[in-house]
Amino acid sequence: SGLIELIVSVLALESGTLFPVPNAAELDPECRIRLAQSNDRAGDSFVSLSSFSRGLASCVAVSRLEPSQGGAA
């Protein structure tokens, strides 16, 4: 669900580390996609995109605020 993805992504942003991709113990060296591994550092922003079978789509962009940008001190 898009909401669960959004919650998990915010938790990763808050903790500063990514959750590893499950069931990806052996990576194909030919695969050009880099999967998250244990203790990989999270970035400062993410985009969560969800689409539904009836043609609906939603996108949310989330970014970490620094105290100088109006965030809580």
Side-chain angles (χ1 to χ4, degrees), residues 15-60:
S15 72
T17 57
L18 296 175
F19 298 99
V21 174
N23 303 321
E26 294 183 32
L27 303 179
D28 183 351
E30 304 259 336
C31 181
R32 298 176 61 187
I33 297 172
R34 187 186 175 289
L35 300 178
Q37 302 291 311
S38 292
N39 299 320
D40 277 355
R41 182 178 142 23
D44 293 324
S45 61
F46 67 89
V47 174
S48 178
L49 174 65
S50 297
S51 59
F52 306 94
S53 60
R54 296 189 178 238
L56 284 162
S58 66
C59 181
V60 177

